[in-house]
Amino acid sequence: MSKHTPTPAGRDIELAFSEANKILDIINTPEAALSDEQRKWVSSNVADNFANHVNRGFLDYRKSVTETDDFALTDWYGQGSILRDIMGREYIDMLGGFGLYSPGIRHPKIVAAAKAQLDRSPQYSQEMLDPLRGQLAKVLAKLTPGDLQYGFFANSGTEAVDGAMKLAKLYTGRRGFISTTGGFHGKSLGALSLLGKSVYREPLLPLLGGVRHVPYGDADAVEQLLKIADSVGSMDVAAVVAEPIQGEAGAVVPPDDYWPRLREICSRYGVLLIADEVQTGFGRTGKIFGVDHWDVAPDIICFGKALGGGVVPMSGFFSTAEIWSCLEPNPFMHTTTTGGNPLACAAALAGIGVMLEENLPGQAAEKGRYLLQKLGRLKEQYPHILKDIRGKGLLLAMVFENDELGYKVVSGLFKRKVLTAGTLNNSSVVRLEPALNIPYELLDEVLARLEDTLQNVSHAI
Ligand SMILES: *Cc1c(COP(=O)(O)O)cnc(C)c1O
């Protein structure tokens, strides 16, 4: 790390001001007018800044740093499924911000709505009623399955999950949750209590009490826990929480009877069912919501990621009028200053419009089938590298023989200008989550580059 220019710690207000202006000058300069010098400054400066002021640990993991010889790949410009860094290097985006960019990067209609709202009022007064929030809540109430009717907006998926947990506790008067192994729900102390991976939990124990984990996809395990709690008269479970299809765990699709059975079991024992749709929502898996694959209506649903149309951070949780009534006597039980701001609502409303107009769920279903079939063929050709392909819609994953082979493939793709997830120590399962409206020509281009990569890796082992 010694190659990074150190910035001394300590206060320097003049330097703070001049550094802010330096980058502001650059972002206020039209793209084509940027000098080579400015571009190089941005590109080398970003790595120094991460090393000195963000977290130098990141620099050791990211392909965008370790696999580029001179200047680290620098986030700068995006449109649709194409990312271009400050040095002009162009990548096909198959990562999609982990589900953030479902409508593509900077969809013109979503950007236009956000710009229009930005020129009016980006935040709200905290006193007057905000019309966009009310209208977005109505739109989502109509879009969601079952009787889901009332909602609360926040900025991150994690906050949506935390809010859903509070609502379930308030409504049931119980404290416990049943979550799933491998499940991802965010890393705040509340959401982390549900998360199903020890590496993130263990150093922070104890987390919330009364949370139990069962294997994902195993409805029997849920039923057994509830049956025992019920029979000994110690029912302390407020809700069962799960992702319709696990995202972070690597596009894990549960058995077909899983969600219908969870619904039936929760209703039978009077326990709430929370669907964490932060990643699966808004068309990603080939339906508007993940639970739509099984026609299940949860009691509480969580949104995030693509809700803001890939333009503004936005999240929320919705529930039925009956459950929501517990928040009515004191609506200040759960609040946020910036959540559901008009800028985010405008982006979300436009994003939902784009999803319906372009039939993004239908596109995801069709393109997902296309990719599964083509990737399946590559798996047959390279079974010693590519062990499995799984997922639904455009929430797909390639399962490699091991981390090392997986990393060879994703870094090979990276060299061929295709952006995917996958880090040095975590590449045995690599998700593909492109924009739902990615053109077929780009998918074919990615498949060709992947085949070339697999051939190359295959020769080297
Ligand atoms: C990403 C994700 C979250 C957390 O969302 P953030 O916006 O990162 O806080 C929660 N649940 C699921 C299923 C997710 O995929």
Side-chain angles (χ1 to χ4, degrees):
M1 284 306 146
S2 54
K3 66 179 176 178
H4 296 290
T5 318
T7 325
R11 197 171 186 186
D12 186 339
I13 292 169
E14 237 170 79
L15 185 68
F17 189 53
S18 72
E19 287 290 314
N21 284 331
K22 237 181 189 171
I23 193 92
L24 280 169
D25 281 347
I26 288 176
I27 64 173
N28 285 320
T29 304
E31 184 71 13
L34 284 179
S35 68
D36 258 15
E37 198 187 333
Q38 283 174 310
R39 292 175 194 276
K40 284 180 183 165
W41 178 78
V42 171
S43 196
S44 54
N45 193 52
V46 65
D48 287 345
N49 283 340
F50 266 68
N52 290 317
H53 304 291
V54 181
N55 185 337
R56 63 182 61 221
F58 281 131
L59 299 175
D60 298 332
Y61 287 104
R62 296 251 163 108
K63 294 187 292 299
S64 53
V65 180
T66 52
E67 300 288 323
T68 37
D69 302 328
D70 40 16
F71 294 101
L73 194 68
T74 310
D75 244 313
W76 194 249
Y77 174 90
Q79 178 75 69
S81 288
I82 300 293
L83 288 157
R84 196 166 70 225
D85 101 321
I86 183 102
M87 305 302 278
R89 292 171 288 197
E90 231 175 61
Y91 283 72
I92 302 175
D93 180 23
M94 288 299 284
L95 171 54
F98 291 118
L100 181 60
Y101 288 135
S102 295
I105 302 166
R106 278 187 337 110
H107 192 289
K109 285 195 173 168
I110 304 171
V111 169
K115 278 186 176 163
Q117 188 55 38
L118 201 52
D119 285 339
R120 196 170 291 119
S121 162
Q123 298 287 337
Y124 68 107
S125 66
Q126 316 288 331
E127 171 58 33
M128 296 187 227
L129 291 181
D130 166 21
L132 296 192
R133 177 198 311 250
Q135 191 70 6
L136 177 60
K138 182 181 186 177
V139 166
L140 283 166
K142 295 293 139 200
L143 205 62
T144 44
D147 306 327
L148 299 170
Q149 184 176 344
Y150 284 90
F152 180 94
F153 296 112
N155 298 300
S156 67
T158 305
E159 287 172 87
V161 171
D162 270 0
M165 292 174 81
K166 280 177 68 176
L167 177 60
K169 290 181 77 164
L170 287 168
Y171 178 71
T172 61
R174 303 183 196 135
R175 64 164 195 154
F177 292 90
I178 296 177
S179 188
T180 59
T181 51
F184 187 85
H185 303 284
K187 290 175 185 165
S188 67
L189 289 170
L192 187 60
S193 306
L194 301 179
L195 191 140
K197 246 183 174 178
S198 69
V199 57
Y200 300 117
R201 293 166 49 84
E202 211 169 278
L204 290 151
L205 292 173
L207 294 161
L208 285 183
V211 178
R212 273 154 292 182
H213 290 81
V214 294
Y216 182 73
D218 186 348
D220 285 338
V222 174
E223 182 166 26
Q224 182 150 27
L225 279 183
L226 292 178
K227 194 172 174 182
I228 292 168
D230 189 55
S231 71
V232 300
S234 67
M235 178 57 80
D236 68 341
V237 179
V240 173
V241 189
E243 296 157 88
I245 292 168
Q246 283 189 327
E248 169 84 8
V252 181
V253 182
D256 261 336
D257 66 348
Y258 183 58
W259 275 91
R261 284 199 59 205
L262 287 186
R263 176 67 281 174
E264 188 276 317
I265 294 162
C266 287
S267 299
R268 178 147 44 96
Y269 287 101
V271 166
L272 300 184
L273 177 60
I274 302 178
D276 181 349
E277 294 260 11
V278 170
Q279 192 158 160
T280 48
F282 303 98
R284 173 56 51 190
T285 68
K287 300 269 189 190
I288 294 182
F289 296 108
V291 289
D292 292 337
H293 286 288
W294 304 284
D295 286 325
V296 165
D299 298 300
I300 305 177
I301 192 165
C302 301
F303 308 130
K305 296 201 167 94
L307 175 59
V311 171
V312 184
M314 178 60 147
S315 72
F317 62 98
F318 271 65
S319 188
T320 62
E322 156 70 19
I323 294 167
W324 211 260
S325 63
C326 71
L327 292 174
E328 284 169 1
N330 182 359
F332 300 103
M333 280 305 288
H334 195 64
T335 57
T336 162
T337 306
T338 54
N341 63 76
L343 183 63
C345 288
L349 284 159
I352 290 167
V354 165
M355 173 185 75
L356 297 173
E357 237 166 48
E358 296 187 19
N359 185 17
L360 292 183
Q363 290 201 49
E366 203 181 281
K367 287 167 187 170
R369 278 194 295 273
Y370 181 77
L371 276 182
L372 273 177
Q373 186 218 340
K374 297 276 180 183
L375 291 168
R377 212 171 291 162
L378 288 177
K379 184 188 90 168
E380 278 166 29
Q381 271 173 275
Y382 300 95
H384 49 297
I385 304 174
L386 201 47
K387 255 176 51 184
D388 196 15
I389 305 292
R390 66 189 185 209
K392 238 182 187 5
L394 285 177
L395 177 52
L396 299 176
M398 303 185 282
V399 183
F400 295 101
E401 190 60 39
N402 52 46
D403 276 334
E404 196 195 331
L405 275 174
Y407 190 75
K408 279 186 179 156
V409 174
V410 296
S411 69
L413 280 171
F414 183 80
K415 285 186 188 109
R416 291 164 180 80
K417 303 284 197 282
V418 176
L419 205 73
T420 62
T423 56
L424 265 175
N425 62 351
N426 187 16
S427 287
S428 63
V429 181
V430 176
R431 268 176 289 167
L432 299 174
E433 292 189 59
L436 309 183
N437 51 11
I438 186 172
Y440 275 101
E441 302 84 79
L442 281 185
L443 289 181
D444 286 339
E445 187 55 45
V446 167
L447 287 163
R449 295 181 200 181
L450 175 61
E451 180 157 19
D452 189 48
T453 306
L454 287 168
Q455 211 168 51
N456 210 276
V457 172
S458 173
H459 284 154
I461 51 178

